[in-house]
Amino acid sequence: DFSVKTQVEAGDEIAVLTRSFNDMTEEIGILVDDIRKKQENLRIIENRLLQEQINPHFFTNCMNLIRNLTMVGEIEKAQEATFLVSSHMRYALANSTMVALERELEQVNNYVELQKMRYGDCFLYCVEQEEVCGQIFVPTAVILDFVNNAIKHQLDPDRQLEILVYLHKEQEKLHIMITDSGDGFEPEILEKLQKHEKLISPEGEHIGIYNVCQRLSILYSDCADIAFSNKPEGGARIDLYLPIRTMWWSEKDPEVQTDEK
């Protein structure tokens, strides 16, 4: 606590030393506070950049989908896809670092509907949650990225892919479990994920997973946990344990509000 001052009760050399000590602690306190604010701003900026790395690829795929639908005469589906894409764009461009879980799930549903327009019934998406979870705040796209990853890497036209999102509270944390019925993580990839090693290929593969891990570190420090595994019966499993927050602390990020105004 650099605001604490030592009392000066004499006029000798000890008093001079005490005043110098008080001045020094005051200056250190100002410098520490300035560094803290700069570091917080840096974390906010870094978090924004990590979010933006995901969006361009997703929007490009959506534009290609709408183009293909119009070319084959599926005008109503193209209109529906346009509506879903515009909703997602509003979500992404809102610059929200964290959002209510119910909003995140709404956008995941939009994404799933868009993908069903591309792949039909090749996959099944299901959510199981406790009613009290909806207003808990989570990092933007934290579930969407893993659902996207499952569809991108595990979709097989010869079998229906099942994706399950399970949400419930465990003491002071929100447990998010995301599983699929695909082939699971390849052994070398799973080993790197479990060791929290950087996992991005020259082509940008797995950037979504890397971004989620980085954003969890920025937003929660050491208070959030993420675990990767393969299910015994086959398929990938991701477990996230996030501290429960029912509102987003705007004093740390003045631009981020609860989106409910």
Side-chain angles (χ1 to χ4, degrees):
D1 182 359
F2 294 104
S3 66
V4 174
K5 303 296 181 183
T6 301
Q7 297 299 319
V8 180
E9 299 178 354
D12 55 11
E13 292 86 351
I14 299 299
V16 174
L17 180 62
T18 301
R19 292 191 186 94
S20 297
F21 177 80
N22 287 339
D23 292 341
M24 180 186 69
T25 55
E26 182 178 358
E27 184 176 354
I28 291 174
I30 294 172
L31 290 173
V32 168
D33 186 61
D34 185 53
I35 291 172
R36 182 190 62 79
K37 290 178 180 178
K38 288 180 178 179
Q39 288 178 335
E40 189 61 46
N41 288 334
L42 181 62
R43 284 195 291 270
I44 293 169
I45 293 170
E46 185 178 2
N47 187 66
R48 295 276 200 253
L49 292 174
L50 287 168
Q51 286 180 224
E52 289 306 312
Q53 287 182 27
I54 306 167
N55 294 332
H57 182 67
F58 174 77
F59 289 133
T60 299
N61 288 341
C62 290
M63 293 302 103
N64 287 333
L65 169 63
I66 294 172
R67 176 178 178 273
N68 292 337
L69 288 172
T70 56
M71 289 181 66
V72 298
E74 297 282 358
I75 304 303
E76 291 187 1
K77 285 188 177 181
Q79 291 174 341
E80 182 182 355
T82 302
F83 173 79
L84 293 173
V85 172
S86 65
S87 175
H88 189 88
M89 287 182 68
R90 287 195 299 271
Y91 180 71
L93 297 177
N95 288 328
S96 296
T97 305
M98 298 183 74
V99 295
L101 179 59
E102 61 184 7
R103 284 205 64 197
E104 169 71 3
L105 293 175
E106 178 184 337
Q107 296 309 311
V108 176
N109 285 331
N110 286 350
Y111 171 81
V112 167
E113 291 302 316
L114 283 166
Q115 296 303 325
K116 284 184 177 180
M117 290 182 183
R118 296 179 63 190
Y119 302 113
D121 296 326
C122 287
F123 69 93
L124 177 67
Y125 167 73
C126 181
V127 177
E128 296 181 7
Q129 66 170 318
E130 298 174 357
E131 293 183 4
V132 294
C133 293
Q135 295 303 312
I136 296 175
F137 272 64
V138 298
T140 303
V142 69
I143 298 175
L144 176 61
D145 289 343
F146 288 114
V147 173
N148 170 49
N149 191 71
I151 294 175
K152 181 178 179 180
H153 294 286
Q154 300 298 329
L155 205 60
D156 186 340
D158 295 328
R159 63 181 181 186
Q160 188 180 54
L161 177 69
E162 296 181 1
I163 302 172
L164 170 66
V165 176
Y166 176 71
L167 308 155
H168 77 287
K169 294 171 64 176
E170 290 187 5
Q171 296 180 348
E172 298 301 319
K173 290 193 174 183
L174 171 67
H175 179 201
I176 302 175
M177 181 178 70
I178 305 163
T179 67
D180 65 61
S181 60
D183 297 325
F185 295 109
E186 296 178 6
E188 61 272 17
I189 292 177
L190 181 59
E191 183 180 0
K192 288 186 177 181
L193 289 172
Q194 291 175 338
K195 293 180 178 179
H196 302 289
E197 295 180 0
K198 189 172 182 179
L199 183 65
I200 302 179
S201 69
E203 295 78 23
E205 296 293 330
H206 307 294
I207 191 171
I209 293 178
Y210 173 72
N211 277 344
V212 170
C213 295
Q214 290 297 101
R215 288 194 288 136
L216 292 180
S217 176
I218 292 169
L219 292 169
Y220 298 105
S221 297
D222 297 327
C223 297
D225 296 309
I226 183 168
F228 300 90
S229 61
N230 285 330
K231 299 185 298 179
E233 67 273 22
R237 171 173 172 168
I238 301 99
D239 290 276
L240 296 97
Y241 297 89
L242 309 179
I244 292 177
R245 289 174 179 157
T246 54
M247 66 179 297
W248 177 229
W249 5 274
S250 58
E251 68 270 20
K252 288 192 175 184
D253 187 351
E255 297 181 6
V256 177
Q257 303 297 331
T258 62
D259 294 320
E260 299 296 330
K261 296 183 179 179

